Amino acid sequence: MSDSPAVNAPLDPKEKPILDSLLYIRDKLSLLKQDRSTYIKSKDVLSLYSDVVKQVHLLNDLRAELKKPLEQSRVDNVLEDCFQLISLFFLTIGRNNEAPAVYAMCSTRLLDHLSEANFYSAKDLDGIEGTFKSMRDTLERGKDTYSPHLLTLLGNRLDTCHLILEELYRRLQNLSPELAPTYEKLVSILRSMAACNCRHNFPATEVRAFQDQLKQMQATMVDGKFLGADGTAPMGQEIAVGLLRRCLLWADICLEKNGKIDERFKPTYDKLNEIRNQLEKLTLTQAWSLRETDLYSYQRQLDRIDESRIDGNFEDMQGNKADLHAQRTLLYLIRRSYAYIYTLIRSSEPVSEALLPVFNQLQTLRRCLLEVKKSGGVSSPRELYPYSMKLTSIDNMRVDGKFMVGSDIPEGQGSVNALMAECFDLTYDLRVEAEENNTLED
């Protein structure tokens, strides 16, 4: 396994034992990640987490002794890999609400790309801010349980994320509420055209339809400005008008290229397109097929391609920069993939993979019962027999109120039991309602 993409500074000889230990731990984490013969056990993850934290203590003490607390070397790159894997393992075993699980979420990659792209809506930022607040709460709950070294590291990463988020909010502060719907529509159109540009069969008709919408919006402008209901120009013209120009330019470029990327960048495009498609498929089948540690390899592949840019630009083997179409196309695929990873991590359920089959069955059962309730209930309690039988069979799997796998008690018992209780309540309510209706008819 290669390191996280970063420039490796010279390694101080005294750090060599720590590096060797971290490489060994990373190899063990990698092997555990690849082992599909059994589910991942909490004790294995916690043991490796303790090993990593021990090396962090040694590294901090050594650098304090050498008076180089902020030095970065290959040790830091390997440590990043270890923490990233540990964090994803915590999600896999269902310990989503504990401090180590936060590490995978508080990456600046997605925020950095939002900042670089410079088009996003306030709704995008509000969702991310809510996630960060939840992570702060998680760190606060873990202050008496986890290493202060880890909590400081995570706190610093969250602080960095918040600084970027505040800057993104600041860029939108001059956008008036009256102009916000126009701006958000432009954001949606630009994203939709970027998605069209990456389809296997380029949908020129759809792109022309978006182009027509843009021209209609442009036609409503007076003296190059969007006007409000009272005939005045609301604040934020520079933001909205600038984005309109970008949209019109991108529509022209997409139609000119007809979905064909520069051949020099075709291999990178194909690789990114494959990653994007695989991640998109995972978002559709997440409950049944995702092991959160699988996201690590996708992250690292994206990181390496992203880090291969020179001054923000993709270049060919001869050092020639990509044209605007290739540049934006590749960046769209990178950003979309990072967004999928963020979504998959955020929507991870706090249930061990050992209990996911049961949890998923209960979720499906719950959705069915809610649909039955929404459609008016059942005419006879007999119609609920299939649901009751399924619930009873799942309930009978418990031993002393717990779902067991051999002699192990996997994480997520509370979530599974709460979901099952909700299904029992829905079934009971539907049965009572059906019996009452039958009594009234009699």
Side-chain angles (χ1 to χ4, degrees):
M1 180 189 291
S2 55
D3 299 343
S4 297
V7 177
N8 290 325
L11 177 70
D12 188 298
K14 293 183 178 180
E15 291 186 2
K16 185 67 165 57
I18 298 174
L19 174 63
D20 291 340
S21 296
L22 288 173
L23 287 170
Y24 177 69
I25 294 169
R26 188 179 68 177
D27 288 343
K28 289 180 70 174
L29 287 166
S30 180
L31 289 172
L32 183 61
K33 176 175 75 74
Q34 296 169 21
D35 184 5
R36 294 277 182 172
S37 63
T38 183
Y39 77 96
I40 295 172
K41 300 178 177 62
S42 296
K43 63 179 182 179
D44 296 333
V45 175
L46 293 174
S47 174
L48 289 166
Y49 162 75
S50 298
D51 292 342
V52 173
V53 171
K54 179 181 177 181
Q55 297 307 313
V56 172
H57 290 179
L58 294 173
L59 182 63
N60 287 345
D61 291 343
L62 175 61
R63 288 182 175 174
E65 178 187 328
L66 298 174
K67 298 182 179 179
K68 297 179 180 179
L70 302 179
E71 184 174 81
Q72 294 287 303
S73 68
R74 190 187 174 200
V75 173
D76 299 276
N77 300 344
V78 179
L79 187 59
E80 156 75 13
D81 290 336
C82 291
F83 271 126
Q84 189 71 24
L85 281 165
I86 287 288
S87 183
L88 293 171
F89 271 118
F90 264 74
L91 295 175
T92 304
I93 63 175
R95 303 181 78 152
N96 303 42
N97 299 319
E98 298 188 28
V102 168
Y103 194 94
M105 282 292 292
C106 56
S107 168
T108 64
R109 288 280 181 178
L110 185 59
L111 291 172
D112 286 337
H113 274 287
L114 283 176
S115 179
E116 182 183 6
N118 201 26
F119 74 94
Y120 48 85
S121 69
K123 293 177 183 177
D124 296 332
L125 304 185
D126 291 344
I128 295 173
E129 185 180 41
T131 301
F132 286 165
K133 183 181 182 302
S134 175
M135 287 192 283
R136 285 281 185 199
D137 294 340
T138 298
L139 295 188
E140 184 64 25
R141 288 195 303 271
K143 65 182 181 181
D144 296 326
T145 307
Y146 288 97
S147 163
H149 295 275
L150 173 67
L151 296 176
T152 299
L153 173 66
L154 293 173
N156 291 340
R157 282 171 69 93
L158 271 179
D159 288 342
T160 301
C161 290
H162 270 292
L163 287 174
I164 300 173
L165 191 62
E166 287 172 5
E167 170 59 20
L168 293 173
Y169 270 119
R170 188 192 63 76
R171 295 181 192 177
L172 295 180
Q173 67 183 8
N174 291 327
L175 184 67
S176 68
E178 196 171 6
L179 200 54
T182 299
Y183 173 79
E184 290 181 3
K185 184 177 181 180
L186 288 169
V187 169
S188 176
I189 289 175
L190 186 51
R191 287 176 175 169
S192 297
M193 289 194 298
C196 288
N197 178 58
C198 293
R199 286 194 201 169
H200 181 65
N201 296 313
F202 179 69
T205 304
E206 285 186 43
V207 176
R208 289 194 187 95
F210 287 126
Q211 189 180 50
D212 291 341
Q213 289 185 54
L214 294 168
K215 289 178 178 178
Q216 290 171 12
M217 296 172 73
Q218 188 179 37
T220 65
M221 299 168 66
V222 177
D223 296 330
K225 295 180 180 179
F226 291 104
L227 298 184
D230 59 357
T232 61
M235 287 178 58
Q237 294 292 324
E238 182 179 346
I239 301 173
V241 175
L243 186 53
L244 175 61
R245 293 195 188 107
R246 286 179 65 180
C247 289
L248 288 166
L249 175 61
W250 185 237
D252 291 338
I253 291 174
C254 287
L255 291 170
E256 179 187 346
K257 294 291 185 178
N258 199 38
K260 304 295 183 184
I261 194 167
D262 188 327
E263 284 297 323
R264 296 173 300 159
F265 299 96
K266 188 69 163 54
T268 304
Y269 171 83
D270 289 341
K271 182 63 178 175
L272 287 171
N273 203 33
E274 180 186 2
I275 293 172
R276 189 275 308 263
N277 290 340
Q278 289 174 349
L279 288 169
E280 183 179 29
K281 188 182 296 184
L282 281 175
T283 63
L284 300 174
T285 61
Q286 176 181 11
W288 302 97
S289 61
L290 178 68
R291 174 184 269 189
E292 283 79 0
T293 50
D294 295 340
L295 297 176
Y296 177 81
S297 60
Y298 293 115
Q299 286 178 318
R300 287 297 170 254
Q301 291 177 72
L302 289 170
D303 290 349
R304 290 187 182 92
I305 295 174
D306 197 16
E307 293 284 342
S308 72
R309 293 191 288 158
I310 299 174
D311 295 328
N313 298 303
F314 289 98
E315 295 186 359
D316 63 15
M317 298 296 289
Q318 286 71 43
N320 300 310
K321 294 179 181 178
D323 61 20
L324 186 58
H325 176 259
Q327 178 79 7
R328 285 193 178 180
T329 300
L330 296 177
L331 283 174
Y332 166 78
L333 289 172
I334 288 177
R335 290 162 183 164
R336 193 75 191 107
S337 298
Y338 276 131
Y340 277 136
I341 289 173
Y342 172 82
T343 300
L344 286 165
I345 292 175
R346 187 182 61 179
S347 56
S348 172
E349 296 288 354
V351 175
S352 167
E353 64 174 347
L355 291 185
L356 273 180
V358 174
F359 186 77
N360 292 333
Q361 290 178 56
L362 287 170
Q363 279 195 315
T364 302
L365 193 56
R366 175 180 174 274
R367 282 194 294 269
C368 292
L369 289 168
L370 287 173
E371 283 298 318
V372 170
K373 187 175 183 179
K374 184 179 178 182
S375 62
V378 294
S379 57
S380 167
R382 287 180 176 273
E383 295 178 37
L384 294 171
Y385 283 176
Y387 305 107
S388 298
M389 289 175 64
K390 184 61 180 177
L391 271 174
T392 301
S393 70
I394 294 176
D395 190 24
N396 289 339
M397 294 168 61
R398 295 192 295 176
V399 178
D400 295 329
K402 299 181 180 66
F403 291 95
M404 308 283 288
V405 178
S407 59
D408 296 325
I409 304 175
E411 302 284 343
Q413 299 285 330
S415 297
V416 177
N417 284 325
L419 187 55
M420 187 167 64
E422 184 180 357
C423 290
F424 271 120
D425 288 343
L426 284 167
T427 306
Y428 176 78
D429 291 343
L430 287 167
R431 181 181 293 107
V432 169
E433 184 180 353
E435 290 173 348
E436 288 177 350
N437 290 337
N438 289 338
T439 302
L440 291 174
E441 289 175 2
D442 293 343

